[in-house]
């Protein structure tokens, strides 16, 4: 087998030689930062297919690390049938030390900060905004890339400049804002709000390109547009059945996770699939591994 490099909560990464990485997206599901015991069928294929769709759709905004999603293009020993549809052969990039977050709506940690100090990543926002309000315009709100197990820290644009330099920070911001604008425009046509998202950029051959997963429900907040309104936390398009179930339990949100019923597992799987099919207009059955 290829040498194993790293495993995150969802992905397993292998060294594919020639400065290439193989990213294999599993069906593992995390909620409240805890990985569930049950796999969500098709989730890894959805995340892979969606990333591939966006990289193609947005290729005029930024280049990408992706070489292939076909099993046949992998080194012989990595062509495992169970990996069909969930592999990304990529150029190894020199990753930026920041995560490129763009927020179009006020939610999550940004809402918490605004509520206490009227700012977002240290920058003053207009007064009187409610939770989940649309921001006057999408804003680039970077964070540090924390070591494994630690939480990323929200930083200001000036702090991002200190970490990666003025030129790269400016480029990363401009690319990220344009990716978000284009991506959220497409999703909105399909009835999905992308409230915020995290891009990861890195250098390949001296060019700043889009890496990692792109505009997926795992890297973004997707809301059904018809269930959004300011003042509430709109349901997450993908995780809501699971979160509602977990919230109804007497569980302290620390490992070990509680067991999930087959119904919750199937419902969550269907949500992921629906998100993919709505946004891309493609059928998941046409993606490898069906
Ligand atoms: N082309 C690339 N070259 C080098 N590193 C990459 C590339 N694309 C993505 N990465 C890195 O690979 C890792 C992907 O890991 P993964 O997303 O599975 O776990 P994680 O981000 O550590 O945790 P989480 O499970 O919360 O996402 C990230 O650290 C990401 O920055
Ligand atoms: Mg990740």
């Amino acid at each position: 087998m290829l040498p194993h490099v790293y495993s995150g909560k969802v992905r397993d990464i292998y060294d594919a030689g020639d400065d290439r990485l193989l990213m294999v997206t599993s069906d593992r599901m995390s909620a409240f930062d805890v990985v569930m015991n049950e796999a969500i069928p098709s989730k890894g294929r959805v995340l892979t297919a969606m990333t591939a769709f966006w990289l193609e759709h947005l290729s005029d905004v930024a280049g990408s690390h992706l070489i292939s999603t076909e099993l046949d293009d992998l080194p012989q020993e990595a062509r495992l049938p169970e990996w069909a549809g969930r592999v990304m052969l990529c150029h190894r990039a020199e990753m930026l030390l920041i995560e490129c977050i763009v927020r179009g709506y006020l939610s999550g940690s940004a809402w918490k900060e605004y509520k206490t100090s009227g700012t977002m990543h240290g920058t003053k926002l207009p007064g009187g905004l409610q939770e989940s309000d649309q921001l006057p315009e999408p804003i680039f709100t970077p964070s540090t890339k924390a070591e494994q197990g630690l939480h990323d820290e929200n930083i200001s644009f000036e702090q991002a400049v200190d970490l990666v330099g003025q030129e790269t920070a400016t480029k990363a911001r401009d690319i990220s804002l344009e990716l978000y604008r284009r991506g959220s425009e497409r999703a909105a046509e399909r009835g999905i709000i992308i409230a915020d998202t995290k891009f990861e950029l890195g250098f390949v051959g001296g060019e700043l390109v889009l890496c990692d997963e792109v505009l997926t429900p795992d890297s973004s907040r997707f809301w059904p547009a018809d269930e959004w309104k300011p003042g509430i936390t709109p349901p997450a398009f993908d995780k809501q059945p699971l979160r509602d179930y977990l919230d109804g339990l007497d569980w302290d949100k620390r490992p070990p996770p509680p067991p999930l019923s087959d119904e919750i597992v199937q419902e969550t799987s269907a949500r992921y699939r629906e998100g993919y099919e709505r946004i891309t207009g493609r059928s998941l059955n046409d993606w490898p591994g069906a």
Side-chain angles (χ1 to χ4, degrees):
M1 217 8 240
L2 302 179
H4 176 251
V5 177
Y6 172 79
S7 283
K9 286 192 290 292
V10 173
R11 263 136 345 132
D12 303 303
I13 301 173
Y14 300 86
D15 187 339
D18 292 335
D19 232 12
R20 296 170 312 167
L21 296 174
L22 173 64
M23 310 189 69
V24 183
T25 306
S26 73
D27 289 340
R28 296 193 288 273
M29 173 89 185
S30 76
F32 305 105
D33 266 348
V34 177
V35 179
M36 302 291 117
N37 288 321
E38 295 78 6
I40 304 299
S42 302
K43 178 174 178 270
R45 289 175 58 238
V46 165
L47 298 183
T48 307
M50 207 178 243
T51 295
F53 166 81
W54 285 122
L55 287 175
E56 184 187 312
H57 186 72
L58 300 167
S59 60
D60 56 317
V61 181
S64 99
H65 66 152
L66 184 63
I67 300 167
S68 175
T69 54
E70 294 293 330
L71 222 45
D72 286 347
D73 292 330
L74 305 186
Q76 184 68 43
E77 72 261 44
R79 297 181 200 165
L80 309 182
E82 64 269 30
W83 281 0
R86 58 178 79 246
V87 292
M88 293 202 304
L89 183 65
C90 305
H91 294 289
R92 185 196 289 269
E94 193 188 315
M95 301 301 291
L96 297 192
L97 293 172
I98 55 169
E99 313 226 320
C100 298
I101 300 166
V102 179
R103 300 174 190 275
Y105 293 74
L106 190 55
S107 186
S109 64
W111 162 243
K112 276 197 200 120
E113 178 185 329
Y114 177 78
K115 226 176 11 177
T116 31
S117 57
T119 58
M120 184 167 73
H121 292 234
T123 301
K124 196 104 196 119
L125 282 184
L129 294 176
Q130 291 181 276
E131 181 181 8
S132 309
D133 249 331
Q134 185 167 18
L135 295 167
E137 61 187 352
I139 303 180
F140 178 65
T141 54
S143 74
T144 57
K145 232 168 110 58
E147 293 297 317
Q148 209 176 355
L150 297 175
H151 277 287
D152 300 337
E153 189 192 333
N154 291 347
I155 56 175
S156 64
F157 183 71
E158 290 68 33
Q159 288 169 297
V161 168
D162 290 340
L163 285 169
V164 302
Q166 179 78 44
E167 190 189 335
T168 300
T170 303
K171 240 190 226 165
R173 179 191 62 197
D174 295 350
I175 289 173
S176 300
L177 285 171
E178 183 61 9
L179 291 171
Y180 174 81
R181 191 186 69 72
R182 289 271 301 277
S184 54
E185 189 178 81
R186 166 85 186 199
E189 289 166 8
R190 312 293 166 115
I192 293 174
I193 290 174
I194 301 179
D196 50 44
T197 192
K198 177 190 81 175
F199 300 109
E200 293 202 32
L201 303 179
F203 284 99
V204 172
E207 190 196 344
L208 192 57
V209 301
L210 191 46
C211 297
D212 209 60
E213 59 181 327
V214 180
L215 292 167
T216 72
D218 278 19
S219 68
S220 325
R221 267 192 190 84
F222 283 14
W223 293 333
D226 55 3
E227 293 181 66
W228 165 76
K229 68 171 190 252
I232 63 160
T233 312
F237 193 88
D238 47 308
K239 285 193 184 161
Q240 204 58 34
L242 176 61
R243 291 227 184 98
D244 289 347
Y245 168 73
L246 294 174
D247 274 334
L249 300 176
D250 184 19
W251 175 50
D252 61 4
K253 314 279 173 4
R254 289 204 299 234
L260 306 182
S261 69
D262 196 47
E263 194 188 331
I264 297 290
V265 168
Q266 293 307 332
E267 211 178 325
T268 306
S269 173
R271 287 291 187 111
Y272 271 86
R273 176 185 286 261
E274 189 193 337
Y276 170 73
E277 297 189 336
R278 256 167 82 165
I279 286 180
T280 65
R282 298 174 182 175
S283 166
L284 192 64
N285 293 333
D286 295 333
W287 185 255

